[in-house]
């Protein structure tokens, strides 16, 4: 029975790296012109309970260096600075390090004050980004809270009708959450906070192809901002070997030194299996891989083993193939973690595999134990 892993709520803050450093180059001339005309931000606040001289700092999300600092005077403070783009920030004093005030800062005149009707809440005016951020969270956070509550209930139940019923509700609610993200992209595709929202909400689903689709709907001007560049880098790092993408071709020598390409197996289901003779978990998994190869090799299925063995240790690689009965195609450039195929697919640990369908599309990844046989049954049939 699988547990449902669920992230913490966005409230009271996002914990993601987003830089708003002044040294960042804004390539889009229109954005640069608007920011230059704004001549920076002025954040004025009035908060009760702070002695004169208490230091208050404005910290950008994910950064340790303050964007601006000042001291309270008669309960008020004024912070000034310049940003290259709207940035999620936190107001921190020596008395609020564990509960900072969250504010989306942009180059404008912004005011902040306690909300007299809501203890612990603040009224922020003058930041359009803050207004858009709040509007999104007001819809999104209740859905996240529901999902979190459902996950807790589901994880406490054994398999059965009650768990299945809650799973149906959970999946439907997850669909609502995804629709909320899509609606935000459609309505706010040109909003400067959109790249950050997509980066943050991507933590709630493991589908980089969907994230890339959403990214491509953003206004082109956002893609050259710091948060847009950061989002694209995240997507590119995850797209390598992602389910739903086309497998990237590579060629390496087999045990006889003959070049073998992944593309040469087009037309078959291929399990590209990254392993090594020195890898204990790989060797422990090999009997399961052998069993599935014997079961499915007559059903348009094969395996391409890619070894991360060390330079000069070809004999150990070949001995492991013989000892473990791995009677399928094997390749390696014997470059350890610098194996070119492993680098291409950004392999961080082994055993690791991807399942490629006859068209060359990746349909599954990291299949081990019973999951390998179940997935092969799904595509090739069990009879």
């Amino acid at each position: 029975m699988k547990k449902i892993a669920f992230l913490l709520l966005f409230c009271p803050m996002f914990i993601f790296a987003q830089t708003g450093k002044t040294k960042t180059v804004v390539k889009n001339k229109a954005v640069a012109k608007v920011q230059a005309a704004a001549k920076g931000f002025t954040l004025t606040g009035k908060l009760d309970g702070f002695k004169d001289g208490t230091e208050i700092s404005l910290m950008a999300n994910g950064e340790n260096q303050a964007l601006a600092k000042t001291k309270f005077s008669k309960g008020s403070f004024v912070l000034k600075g310049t940003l290259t783009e709207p940035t999620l920030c936190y107001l921190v004093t020596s008395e609020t390090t564990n509960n900072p005030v969250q504010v989306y800062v942009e180059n404008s005149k912004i005011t902040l004050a306690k909300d007299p009707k809501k203890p612990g809440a603040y009224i922020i005016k003058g930041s359009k980004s803050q207004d858009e951020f709040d509007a999104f969270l007001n819809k999104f956070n209740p859905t996240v809270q529901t999902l979190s509550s459902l996950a807790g209930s589901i994880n406490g139940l054994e398999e059965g009708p009650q768990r299945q019923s809650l799973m149906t509700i959970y999946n439907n609610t997850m669909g609502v959450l995804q629709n909320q993200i899509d609606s935000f992209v459609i309505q706010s595709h040109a909003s400067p906070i959109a790249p950050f929202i997509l980066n943050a909400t991507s933590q709630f689903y493991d589908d980089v192809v969907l994230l890339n689709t959403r990214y491509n709907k953003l206004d082109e001007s956002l893609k050259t901002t710091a948060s847009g560049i950061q989002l694209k880098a995240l997507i590119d790092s995850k797209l390598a070997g992602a389910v739903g993408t086309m497998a990237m071709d590579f060629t390496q020598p087999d045990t006889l030194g003959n070049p073998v390409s992944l593309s040469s197996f087009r037309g078959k289901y291929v399990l590209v299996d990254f392993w090594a003779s020195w890898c204990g978990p790989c060797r422990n998994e090999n009997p399961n891989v052998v069993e599935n190869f014997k079961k499915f090799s007559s059903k348009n299925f094969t395996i391409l083993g890619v070894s991360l063995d060390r330079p000069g240790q070809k004999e150990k690689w070949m001995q492991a193939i013989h000892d473990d009965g791995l009677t399928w195609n094997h390749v390696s450039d014997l470059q350890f973690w610098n194996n070119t195929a492993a680098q291409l697919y950004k392999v961080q640990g082994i055993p690791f595999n991807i399942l490629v369908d006859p068209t060359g599309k990746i349909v599954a990844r990291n299949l081990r134990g019973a999951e390998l046989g179940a997935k092969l049954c799904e595509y090739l049939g069990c009879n």
Side-chain angles (χ1 to χ4, degrees):
M1 181 181 71
K2 284 188 176 181
K3 296 285 186 181
I4 297 177
F6 205 79
L7 298 175
L8 296 175
L9 304 182
F10 282 175
C11 288
M13 68 182 74
F14 288 93
I15 306 296
F16 297 96
Q18 181 199 31
T19 57
K21 298 178 181 178
T22 55
K23 67 179 182 180
T24 302
V25 177
V26 180
K27 298 179 181 179
N28 185 277
K29 293 182 179 179
V31 174
K33 183 177 180 180
V34 170
Q35 297 291 357
K39 296 182 180 179
F41 65 83
T42 300
L43 174 58
T44 304
K46 184 173 179 58
L47 302 175
D48 298 328
F50 292 97
K51 296 179 181 179
D52 284 1
T54 300
E55 188 174 83
I56 183 168
S57 301
L58 183 68
M59 311 292 293
N61 181 57
E63 298 292 331
N64 294 320
Q65 185 175 355
L67 291 173
K69 290 183 179 181
T70 191
K71 294 181 179 179
F72 277 94
S73 176
K74 298 181 180 180
S76 299
F77 65 87
V78 179
L79 290 161
K80 295 183 178 182
T82 302
L83 294 170
T84 58
E85 63 184 85
T87 303
L88 181 64
C89 297
Y90 301 97
L91 289 169
V92 180
T93 73
S94 57
E95 300 177 27
T96 62
T97 53
N98 293 324
N99 189 28
V101 179
Q102 177 179 280
V103 54
Y104 227 113
V105 181
E106 59 187 34
N107 289 329
S108 63
K109 293 182 178 180
I110 305 169
T111 61
L112 179 147
K114 283 189 174 182
D115 188 337
K117 298 180 180 179
K118 298 179 180 178
Y122 297 85
I123 297 174
I124 300 170
K125 296 181 179 180
S127 171
K128 182 180 178 182
S129 300
Q130 179 72 46
D131 295 339
E132 293 177 339
F133 189 60
D134 286 341
F136 175 76
L137 290 186
N138 287 339
K139 294 180 179 179
F140 193 77
N141 275 336
T143 308
V144 173
Q145 290 172 341
T146 300
L147 286 168
S148 180
S149 177
L150 285 168
S153 298
I154 291 168
N155 288 338
L157 296 173
E158 297 294 330
E159 291 290 353
Q162 186 178 2
R163 192 176 196 275
Q164 292 176 1
S165 177
L166 286 178
M167 277 301 304
T168 298
I169 298 173
Y170 179 90
N171 291 332
N172 289 339
T173 306
M174 182 59 77
V176 171
L177 180 141
Q178 296 299 336
N179 287 336
Q180 288 173 337
I181 299 173
D182 283 331
S183 295
F184 172 81
V185 173
I186 293 171
Q187 297 171 9
S188 305
H189 66 280
S191 169
I193 75 169
F196 177 67
I197 292 292
L198 288 188
N199 192 332
T201 56
S202 71
Q203 312 301 313
F204 287 80
Y205 59 97
D206 185 21
D207 188 344
V208 68
V209 176
L210 175 58
L211 176 59
N212 191 47
T213 298
R214 288 168 171 166
Y215 166 82
N216 287 331
K217 292 179 181 178
L218 297 182
D219 190 86
E220 289 299 317
S221 65
L222 299 179
K223 297 178 181 180
T224 55
T225 63
S227 55
I229 292 170
Q230 183 185 51
L231 176 59
K232 186 61 166 64
L234 171 70
I235 292 170
D236 289 346
S237 69
K238 290 187 174 184
L239 272 177
V243 173
T245 63
M246 297 302 291
M248 297 172 287
D249 197 21
F250 61 86
T251 302
Q252 290 192 6
D254 64 12
T255 56
L256 298 177
N258 299 316
V260 176
S261 300
L262 172 59
S263 58
S264 66
F265 300 96
R266 186 65 61 87
K268 289 188 174 185
Y269 280 92
V270 185
L271 185 74
V272 183
D273 185 32
F274 292 90
W275 72 295
S277 65
W278 49 262
C279 170
C282 303
R283 304 294 294 276
N284 291 335
E285 177 66 14
N286 277 344
N288 178 54
V289 182
V290 169
E291 179 183 349
N292 281 284
F293 180 71
K294 291 178 178 178
K295 183 175 180 180
F296 294 99
S297 59
S298 62
K299 296 185 175 185
N300 202 36
F301 169 75
T302 191
I303 299 174
L304 177 61
V306 182
S307 172
L308 275 62
D309 271 273
R310 295 176 171 86
Q313 296 191 357
K314 182 177 180 179
E315 290 185 2
K316 290 186 177 181
W317 169 40
M318 295 183 66
Q319 187 64 48
I321 293 172
H322 178 269
D323 291 346
D324 292 2
L326 313 182
T327 57
W328 48 79
N329 293 279
H330 292 271
V331 297
S332 180
D333 56 13
L334 297 174
Q335 292 299 312
F336 198 31
W337 288 107
N338 290 323
N339 179 287
T340 55
Q343 294 282 310
L344 184 66
Y345 282 92
K346 302 188 186 305
V347 176
Q348 301 295 314
I350 52 176
F352 173 78
N353 58 48
I354 57 172
L355 180 62
V356 182
D357 76 2
T359 69
K361 180 185 292 186
I362 298 171
V363 294
R365 54 182 279 150
N366 215 21
L367 299 169
R368 292 202 285 272
E371 289 184 352
L372 175 58
K375 184 60 68 174
L376 292 175
C377 276
E378 178 183 329
Y379 284 104
L380 300 169
C382 296
N383 298 325

